Amino acid sequence: MKEQDFMRILGSNIRASRISAGMTQGDLARAIGRSLASVSKYERGGCAIDSYTLCNIADALMVTTNQLLPARERPVSDTPADSSWNIISRHD
């Protein structure tokens, strides 16, 4: 997924969650200590959101960060990508 698409979907998810929570952009801005212009940019996908701010947004909207993030194109595996990891981590 391209970064631009990621930010657009994230912004759309924030907007939908905010509306579902019955909050205005101003309400969310006050709750996270950011400006109304920043919240507007986040919702339009116009700028990157740092992890601290994303967590604050999720808390203010009473959702998880996973609910705000775009769905992954492929599932995350618990298995390390490097198969040699199994050899290194085994204790015989």
Side-chain angles (χ1 to χ4, degrees), residues 43-67:
E43 290 188 2
R44 289 192 321 268
C47 66
I49 303 172
D50 63 85
S51 56
Y52 179 77
T53 300
L54 182 63
C55 288
N56 285 338
I57 291 170
D59 288 347
L61 299 175
M62 297 190 315
V63 298
T64 67
T65 53
N66 282 345
Q67 289 173 285

PDB file of all heavy atoms in Angstrom, residues 43-67:
ATOM      1  N   GLU A  43      -7.639  13.959   9.229  1.00  0.00           N
ATOM      2  CA  GLU A  43      -8.806  13.322   8.621  1.00  0.00           C
ATOM      3  C   GLU A  43      -8.753  13.328   7.099  1.00  0.00           C
ATOM      4  O   GLU A  43      -9.315  12.445   6.463  1.00  0.00           O
ATOM      5  CB  GLU A  43     -10.089  13.985   9.124  1.00  0.00           C
ATOM      6  CG  GLU A  43     -10.375  13.677  10.574  1.00  0.00           C
ATOM      7  CD  GLU A  43     -11.731  14.162  11.045  1.00  0.00           C
ATOM      8  OE1 GLU A  43     -12.506  14.713  10.237  1.00  0.00           O
ATOM      9  OE2 GLU A  43     -12.038  13.972  12.247  1.00  0.00           O
ATOM     10  N   ARG A  44      -8.081  14.293   6.517  1.00  0.00           N
ATOM     11  CA  ARG A  44      -7.933  14.341   5.057  1.00  0.00           C
ATOM     12  C   ARG A  44      -6.758  13.502   4.579  1.00  0.00           C
ATOM     13  O   ARG A  44      -6.566  13.336   3.387  1.00  0.00           O
ATOM     14  CB  ARG A  44      -7.741  15.784   4.588  1.00  0.00           C
ATOM     15  CG  ARG A  44      -8.965  16.653   4.695  1.00  0.00           C
ATOM     16  CD  ARG A  44      -8.787  17.981   3.946  1.00  0.00           C
ATOM     17  NE  ARG A  44      -7.467  18.571   4.059  1.00  0.00           N
ATOM     18  CZ  ARG A  44      -7.087  19.464   4.992  1.00  0.00           C
ATOM     19  NH1 ARG A  44      -7.949  19.864   5.894  1.00  0.00           N
ATOM     20  NH2 ARG A  44      -5.861  19.951   4.999  1.00  0.00           N
ATOM     21  N   GLY A  45      -5.972  12.993   5.519  1.00  0.00           N
ATOM     22  CA  GLY A  45      -4.780  12.238   5.142  1.00  0.00           C
ATOM     23  C   GLY A  45      -3.691  13.150   4.640  1.00  0.00           C
ATOM     24  O   GLY A  45      -2.812  12.732   3.888  1.00  0.00           O
ATOM     25  N   GLY A  46      -3.722  14.407   5.061  1.00  0.00           N
ATOM     26  CA  GLY A  46      -2.797  15.404   4.563  1.00  0.00           C
ATOM     27  C   GLY A  46      -1.465  15.482   5.270  1.00  0.00           C
ATOM     28  O   GLY A  46      -0.591  16.225   4.844  1.00  0.00           O
ATOM     29  N   CYS A  47      -1.311  14.738   6.359  1.00  0.00           N
ATOM     30  CA  CYS A  47      -0.022  14.740   7.049  1.00  0.00           C
ATOM     31  C   CYS A  47       0.121  13.458   7.856  1.00  0.00           C
ATOM     32  O   CYS A  47      -0.863  12.809   8.192  1.00  0.00           O
ATOM     33  CB  CYS A  47       0.132  15.969   7.944  1.00  0.00           C
ATOM     34  SG  CYS A  47      -1.008  16.034   9.320  1.00  0.00           S
ATOM     35  N   ALA A  48       1.357  13.121   8.138  1.00  0.00           N
ATOM     36  CA  ALA A  48       1.634  11.913   8.921  1.00  0.00           C
ATOM     37  C   ALA A  48       1.260  12.156  10.384  1.00  0.00           C
ATOM     38  O   ALA A  48       1.310  13.289  10.869  1.00  0.00           O
ATOM     39  CB  ALA A  48       3.108  11.549   8.810  1.00  0.00           C
ATOM     40  N   ILE A  49       0.904  11.084  11.056  1.00  0.00           N
ATOM     41  CA  ILE A  49       0.531  11.150  12.466  1.00  0.00           C
ATOM     42  C   ILE A  49       1.543  10.326  13.248  1.00  0.00           C
ATOM     43  O   ILE A  49       1.735   9.142  12.959  1.00  0.00           O
ATOM     44  CB  ILE A  49      -0.888  10.603  12.699  1.00  0.00           C
ATOM     45  CG1 ILE A  49      -1.905  11.356  11.854  1.00  0.00           C
ATOM     46  CG2 ILE A  49      -1.249  10.664  14.176  1.00  0.00           C
ATOM     47  CD1 ILE A  49      -3.296  10.757  11.885  1.00  0.00           C
ATOM     48  N   ASP A  50       2.187  10.939  14.238  1.00  0.00           N
ATOM     49  CA  ASP A  50       3.135  10.181  15.045  1.00  0.00           C
ATOM     50  C   ASP A  50       2.379   9.208  15.955  1.00  0.00           C
ATOM     51  O   ASP A  50       1.176   9.356  16.192  1.00  0.00           O
ATOM     52  CB  ASP A  50       4.037  11.119  15.854  1.00  0.00           C
ATOM     53  CG  ASP A  50       3.253  11.954  16.849  1.00  0.00           C
ATOM     54  OD1 ASP A  50       2.999  11.466  17.968  1.00  0.00           O
ATOM     55  OD2 ASP A  50       2.878  13.097  16.505  1.00  0.00           O
ATOM     56  N   SER A  51       3.085   8.212  16.434  1.00  0.00           N
ATOM     57  CA  SER A  51       2.432   7.140  17.207  1.00  0.00           C
ATOM     58  C   SER A  51       1.818   7.661  18.503  1.00  0.00           C
ATOM     59  O   SER A  51       0.757   7.191  18.920  1.00  0.00           O
ATOM     60  CB  SER A  51       3.419   6.000  17.496  1.00  0.00           C
ATOM     61  OG  SER A  51       4.558   6.479  18.155  1.00  0.00           O
ATOM     62  N   TYR A  52       2.443   8.625  19.137  1.00  0.00           N
ATOM     63  CA  TYR A  52       1.904   9.190  20.379  1.00  0.00           C
ATOM     64  C   TYR A  52       0.543   9.847  20.111  1.00  0.00           C
ATOM     65  O   TYR A  52      -0.417   9.627  20.846  1.00  0.00           O
ATOM     66  CB  TYR A  52       2.890  10.211  20.955  1.00  0.00           C
ATOM     67  CG  TYR A  52       2.421  10.866  22.228  1.00  0.00           C
ATOM     68  CD1 TYR A  52       2.488  10.185  23.442  1.00  0.00           C
ATOM     69  CD2 TYR A  52       1.921  12.164  22.214  1.00  0.00           C
ATOM     70  CE1 TYR A  52       2.051  10.785  24.615  1.00  0.00           C
ATOM     71  CE2 TYR A  52       1.488  12.764  23.381  1.00  0.00           C
ATOM     72  CZ  TYR A  52       1.555  12.081  24.576  1.00  0.00           C
ATOM     73  OH  TYR A  52       1.115  12.670  25.734  1.00  0.00           O
ATOM     74  N   THR A  53       0.479  10.632  19.047  1.00  0.00           N
ATOM     75  CA  THR A  53      -0.774  11.302  18.693  1.00  0.00           C
ATOM     76  C   THR A  53      -1.832  10.289  18.287  1.00  0.00           C
ATOM     77  O   THR A  53      -3.001  10.421  18.668  1.00  0.00           O
ATOM     78  CB  THR A  53      -0.535  12.329  17.566  1.00  0.00           C
ATOM     79  OG1 THR A  53       0.416  13.295  18.022  1.00  0.00           O
ATOM     80  CG2 THR A  53      -1.826  13.032  17.171  1.00  0.00           C
ATOM     81  N   LEU A  54      -1.438   9.259  17.544  1.00  0.00           N
ATOM     82  CA  LEU A  54      -2.398   8.225  17.152  1.00  0.00           C
ATOM     83  C   LEU A  54      -2.998   7.553  18.383  1.00  0.00           C
ATOM     84  O   LEU A  54      -4.210   7.326  18.451  1.00  0.00           O
ATOM     85  CB  LEU A  54      -1.735   7.190  16.237  1.00  0.00           C
ATOM     86  CG  LEU A  54      -2.656   6.087  15.731  1.00  0.00           C
ATOM     87  CD1 LEU A  54      -3.779   6.666  14.871  1.00  0.00           C
ATOM     88  CD2 LEU A  54      -1.860   5.060  14.950  1.00  0.00           C
ATOM     89  N   CYS A  55      -2.165   7.259  19.367  1.00  0.00           N
ATOM     90  CA  CYS A  55      -2.669   6.655  20.610  1.00  0.00           C
ATOM     91  C   CYS A  55      -3.615   7.606  21.333  1.00  0.00           C
ATOM     92  O   CYS A  55      -4.650   7.180  21.860  1.00  0.00           O
ATOM     93  CB  CYS A  55      -1.510   6.268  21.524  1.00  0.00           C
ATOM     94  SG  CYS A  55      -0.585   4.839  20.952  1.00  0.00           S
ATOM     95  N   ASN A  56      -3.289   8.902  21.351  1.00  0.00           N
ATOM     96  CA  ASN A  56      -4.177   9.882  21.985  1.00  0.00           C
ATOM     97  C   ASN A  56      -5.510   9.980  21.254  1.00  0.00           C
ATOM     98  O   ASN A  56      -6.568  10.107  21.892  1.00  0.00           O
ATOM     99  CB  ASN A  56      -3.503  11.258  22.043  1.00  0.00           C
ATOM    100  CG  ASN A  56      -2.442  11.320  23.119  1.00  0.00           C
ATOM    101  OD1 ASN A  56      -2.455  10.551  24.067  1.00  0.00           O
ATOM    102  ND2 ASN A  56      -1.514  12.240  22.964  1.00  0.00           N
ATOM    103  N   ILE A  57      -5.473   9.933  19.937  1.00  0.00           N
ATOM    104  CA  ILE A  57      -6.714   9.969  19.155  1.00  0.00           C
ATOM    105  C   ILE A  57      -7.561   8.746  19.475  1.00  0.00           C
ATOM    106  O   ILE A  57      -8.770   8.860  19.732  1.00  0.00           O
ATOM    107  CB  ILE A  57      -6.404  10.045  17.644  1.00  0.00           C
ATOM    108  CG1 ILE A  57      -5.795  11.410  17.284  1.00  0.00           C
ATOM    109  CG2 ILE A  57      -7.660   9.777  16.811  1.00  0.00           C
ATOM    110  CD1 ILE A  57      -5.241  11.492  15.874  1.00  0.00           C
ATOM    111  N   ALA A  58      -6.943   7.572  19.479  1.00  0.00           N
ATOM    112  CA  ALA A  58      -7.676   6.341  19.778  1.00  0.00           C
ATOM    113  C   ALA A  58      -8.299   6.412  21.177  1.00  0.00           C
ATOM    114  O   ALA A  58      -9.462   6.047  21.362  1.00  0.00           O
ATOM    115  CB  ALA A  58      -6.753   5.131  19.659  1.00  0.00           C
ATOM    116  N   ASP A  59      -7.537   6.884  22.157  1.00  0.00           N
ATOM    117  CA  ASP A  59      -8.058   7.008  23.521  1.00  0.00           C
ATOM    118  C   ASP A  59      -9.240   7.963  23.575  1.00  0.00           C
ATOM    119  O   ASP A  59     -10.260   7.678  24.203  1.00  0.00           O
ATOM    120  CB  ASP A  59      -6.967   7.491  24.483  1.00  0.00           C
ATOM    121  CG  ASP A  59      -5.926   6.434  24.784  1.00  0.00           C
ATOM    122  OD1 ASP A  59      -6.145   5.240  24.468  1.00  0.00           O
ATOM    123  OD2 ASP A  59      -4.867   6.800  25.335  1.00  0.00           O
ATOM    124  N   ALA A  60      -9.109   9.114  22.904  1.00  0.00           N
ATOM    125  CA  ALA A  60     -10.181  10.113  22.913  1.00  0.00           C
ATOM    126  C   ALA A  60     -11.453   9.575  22.259  1.00  0.00           C
ATOM    127  O   ALA A  60     -12.568   9.895  22.690  1.00  0.00           O
ATOM    128  CB  ALA A  60      -9.721  11.385  22.201  1.00  0.00           C
ATOM    129  N   LEU A  61     -11.283   8.733  21.245  1.00  0.00           N
ATOM    130  CA  LEU A  61     -12.438   8.178  20.523  1.00  0.00           C
ATOM    131  C   LEU A  61     -12.910   6.851  21.107  1.00  0.00           C
ATOM    132  O   LEU A  61     -13.884   6.276  20.644  1.00  0.00           O
ATOM    133  CB  LEU A  61     -12.084   7.998  19.042  1.00  0.00           C
ATOM    134  CG  LEU A  61     -11.723   9.286  18.297  1.00  0.00           C
ATOM    135  CD1 LEU A  61     -11.279   8.965  16.874  1.00  0.00           C
ATOM    136  CD2 LEU A  61     -12.900  10.249  18.294  1.00  0.00           C
ATOM    137  N   MET A  62     -12.178   6.374  22.123  1.00  0.00           N
ATOM    138  CA  MET A  62     -12.495   5.108  22.797  1.00  0.00           C
ATOM    139  C   MET A  62     -12.517   3.938  21.807  1.00  0.00           C
ATOM    140  O   MET A  62     -13.454   3.134  21.794  1.00  0.00           O
ATOM    141  CB  MET A  62     -13.792   5.215  23.604  1.00  0.00           C
ATOM    142  CG  MET A  62     -13.661   6.239  24.710  1.00  0.00           C
ATOM    143  SD  MET A  62     -14.965   6.333  25.939  1.00  0.00           S
ATOM    144  CE  MET A  62     -16.450   6.262  25.017  1.00  0.00           C
ATOM    145  N   VAL A  63     -11.485   3.898  20.970  1.00  0.00           N
ATOM    146  CA  VAL A  63     -11.276   2.792  20.038  1.00  0.00           C
ATOM    147  C   VAL A  63      -9.820   2.355  20.182  1.00  0.00           C
ATOM    148  O   VAL A  63      -9.022   3.032  20.833  1.00  0.00           O
ATOM    149  CB  VAL A  63     -11.574   3.187  18.574  1.00  0.00           C
ATOM    150  CG1 VAL A  63     -13.028   3.584  18.396  1.00  0.00           C
ATOM    151  CG2 VAL A  63     -10.651   4.309  18.100  1.00  0.00           C
ATOM    152  N   THR A  64      -9.465   1.256  19.554  1.00  0.00           N
ATOM    153  CA  THR A  64      -8.077   0.833  19.543  1.00  0.00           C
ATOM    154  C   THR A  64      -7.363   1.461  18.355  1.00  0.00           C
ATOM    155  O   THR A  64      -8.014   1.863  17.374  1.00  0.00           O
ATOM    156  CB  THR A  64      -7.953  -0.705  19.446  1.00  0.00           C
ATOM    157  OG1 THR A  64      -8.442  -1.127  18.159  1.00  0.00           O
ATOM    158  CG2 THR A  64      -8.739  -1.399  20.557  1.00  0.00           C
ATOM    159  N   THR A  65      -6.049   1.514  18.431  1.00  0.00           N
ATOM    160  CA  THR A  65      -5.295   2.018  17.289  1.00  0.00           C
ATOM    161  C   THR A  65      -5.504   1.110  16.082  1.00  0.00           C
ATOM    162  O   THR A  65      -5.549   1.590  14.953  1.00  0.00           O
ATOM    163  CB  THR A  65      -3.795   2.139  17.607  1.00  0.00           C
ATOM    164  OG1 THR A  65      -3.312   0.896  18.100  1.00  0.00           O
ATOM    165  CG2 THR A  65      -3.539   3.233  18.635  1.00  0.00           C
ATOM    166  N   ASN A  66      -5.669  -0.194  16.314  1.00  0.00           N
ATOM    167  CA  ASN A  66      -5.923  -1.123  15.200  1.00  0.00           C
ATOM    168  C   ASN A  66      -7.215  -0.795  14.470  1.00  0.00           C
ATOM    169  O   ASN A  66      -7.324  -1.039  13.268  1.00  0.00           O
ATOM    170  CB  ASN A  66      -5.947  -2.571  15.679  1.00  0.00           C
ATOM    171  CG  ASN A  66      -4.562  -3.123  15.896  1.00  0.00           C
ATOM    172  OD1 ASN A  66      -3.575  -2.556  15.447  1.00  0.00           O
ATOM    173  ND2 ASN A  66      -4.485  -4.236  16.589  1.00  0.00           N
ATOM    174  N   GLN A  67      -8.195  -0.267  15.176  1.00  0.00           N
ATOM    175  CA  GLN A  67      -9.446   0.100  14.528  1.00  0.00           C
ATOM    176  C   GLN A  67      -9.266   1.322  13.623  1.00  0.00           C
ATOM    177  O   GLN A  67     -10.035   1.511  12.690  1.00  0.00           O
ATOM    178  CB  GLN A  67     -10.528   0.380  15.580  1.00  0.00           C
ATOM    179  CG  GLN A  67     -11.005  -0.874  16.278  1.00  0.00           C
ATOM    180  CD  GLN A  67     -11.939  -0.564  17.429  1.00  0.00           C
ATOM    181  OE1 GLN A  67     -11.501  -0.128  18.488  1.00  0.00           O
ATOM    182  NE2 GLN A  67     -13.226  -0.760  17.196  1.00  0.00           N
TER     183      GLN A  67
END
